Amino acid sequence: MTETNKTHVILLSCGSFNPITKGHIHMFEKAREYLHKTGRFIVIGGIISPVHDSYGKSGLVSSRHRLTMCQLAVQSSDWIRVDPWECYQDTWQTTCSVLEHHRDLMKRVTGCILSNVNTPSTTPVIGQPQNGTSTIYQNTANKSLWGKMSESLGKICCVRPHMERYTFVDENANLGTAMRYEEIELRILLLCGSDLLESFCIPGLWKESNMEVIVGDFGIVVVPRDGADTERIMNHSSVLRKHKDNITVVKDEIDHPMSVVSSTKSRLALQHGDGHVVDYLSQPVIDYILQSQLYINASG
């Protein structure tokens, strides 16, 4: 399969990121590595979307802090970016709404319609240049594609900001001629841990219509945690069983230490002065937490 025939993927992760851990970043890296190994996908970018403050989770610190910590955690990454759109809305947004927002945003940037699981790309997301100029996509330079797209997204969403300073521009702003790229298929996939997958099985927690959109239209990539039995989890949900082919489970023969890292463990380590916190959080995030006096009390 040639590079242009492979499905190009943007991984989107939603969550509290309270705080963002090494495990969250590891999840992105493992997912990208696994998808590349299948020979069917090329991951060209990753997006971290922290939840709105009104989510109501106990101990959730301000999105201002969470956005900054996320930015610090990915400052050395050339393919993962932090998006503040979800935090900047008037109220909490469903995961389904966040996926649809990014799908529509990509459509605006590329000028075409994104493909999804159930409707394979007949009109590709990224079209041939219309002015006869050479394409910017190269088989050995997927970073170039994501870099150009991120540059355009920055005009209508968020530029990789200086710490604690975010630029959020009206999405209806006139961007001029839409950027065009070589013809490829692009999909946005929800990246999650097995804990989120398991939450799909809790009666009444998710609207079935939203689950249909998330799993049926977009598709998800699951990185199991703590040796979770994803097969058993999927068999407990009719929606997950129905769209099983749209769920990619990242298989790892060896349990990686990062698979047991969690925000909860990180907060407890901070509260108890546990030196193992350095195993859970990157040093810039730890420094910011101490400087801002976050998670010191049991309440958050």
Side-chain angles (χ1 to χ4, degrees):
M1 183 179 286
T2 65
E3 297 292 290
T4 51
N5 287 336
K6 293 179 182 179
T7 299
H8 289 58
V9 168
I10 294 172
L11 296 170
L12 170 66
S13 181
C14 300
S16 300
F17 301 103
N18 188 45
I20 187 168
T21 70
K22 290 181 178 180
H24 290 123
I25 306 303
H26 173 74
M27 184 169 67
F28 273 94
E29 298 291 352
K30 287 301 297 181
R32 181 172 72 159
E33 179 186 358
Y34 183 80
L35 290 175
H36 286 178
K37 282 182 178 179
T38 67
R40 297 185 294 118
F41 302 99
I42 297 177
V43 178
I44 63 170
I47 300 173
I48 292 173
S49 181
V51 76
H52 193 274
D53 286 341
S54 65
Y55 181 56
K57 190 173 184 178
S58 176
L60 185 67
V61 303
S62 164
S63 59
R64 176 175 65 88
H65 291 307
R66 290 181 290 112
L67 284 167
T68 302
M69 287 187 286
C70 286
Q71 191 65 50
L72 286 165
V74 303
Q75 62 184 349
S76 62
S77 175
D78 60 1
W79 69 281
I80 306 171
R81 70 181 182 87
V82 182
D83 191 286
W85 177 85
E86 191 176 349
C87 291
Y88 285 6
Q89 299 313 294
D90 293 334
T91 187
W92 170 76
Q93 302 293 306
T94 64
T95 301
C96 184
S97 296
V98 178
L99 283 164
E100 290 173 338
H101 160 74
H102 284 283
R103 177 197 61 199
D104 295 343
L105 191 59
M106 290 295 174
K107 184 172 69 173
R108 276 176 52 75
V109 169
T110 63
C112 300
I113 299 174
L114 274 75
S115 63
N116 61 26
V117 173
N118 293 329
T119 57
S121 174
T122 53
T123 303
V125 148
I126 301 181
Q128 295 285 357
Q130 296 183 340
N131 56 6
T133 59
S134 60
T135 60
I136 61 105
Y137 177 84
Q138 298 175 7
N139 289 349
T140 58
N142 300 312
K143 293 175 185 176
S144 175
L145 176 62
W146 179 235
K148 291 292 185 180
M149 290 178 65
S150 290
E151 183 179 337
S152 280
L153 287 170
K155 296 178 182 178
I156 52 178
C157 190
C158 65
V159 181
R160 179 174 288 274
H162 184 272
M163 294 309 151
E164 297 189 289
R165 183 178 178 84
Y166 287 81
T167 303
F168 194 74
V169 183
D170 182 1
E171 291 183 22
N172 294 316
N174 181 11
L175 302 182
T177 305
M179 294 181 66
R180 299 283 175 174
Y181 304 93
E182 185 175 357
E183 186 174 314
I184 64 171
E185 181 184 353
L186 176 63
R187 279 175 54 192
I188 297 176
L189 299 178
L190 180 67
L191 174 65
C192 65
S194 50
D195 50 345
L196 188 142
L197 188 71
E198 197 158 15
S199 74
F200 284 156
C201 304
I202 300 175
L205 185 61
W206 293 81
K207 287 184 178 179
E208 188 165 322
S209 58
N210 283 355
M211 289 176 62
E212 285 282 350
V213 171
I214 293 168
V215 189
D217 288 352
F218 286 92
I220 60 178
V221 179
V222 184
V223 180
R225 291 175 56 179
D226 282 337
D229 187 348
T230 53
E231 193 72 26
R232 177 191 61 80
I233 294 171
M234 287 189 283
N235 286 334
H236 272 75
S237 165
S238 59
V239 175
L240 295 181
R241 287 197 304 272
K242 176 182 176 183
H243 298 295
K244 195 172 181 178
D245 290 343
N246 301 344
I247 302 172
T248 300
V249 178
V250 176
K251 297 179 175 62
D252 196 348
E253 295 179 358
I254 303 174
D255 288 335
H256 195 281
M258 287 297 105
S259 67
V260 298
V261 172
S262 69
S263 295
T264 300
K265 285 185 178 180
S266 301
R267 293 194 302 271
L268 288 173
L270 288 162
Q271 291 161 15
H272 297 148
D274 187 344
H276 284 100
V277 70
V278 297
D279 298 325
Y280 308 151
L281 308 177
S282 66
Q283 193 59 50
V285 173
I286 294 174
D287 292 342
Y288 181 83
I289 288 172
L290 296 178
Q291 176 188 342
S292 305
Q293 291 290 290
L294 303 176
Y295 310 116
I296 304 303
N297 300 318
S299 60

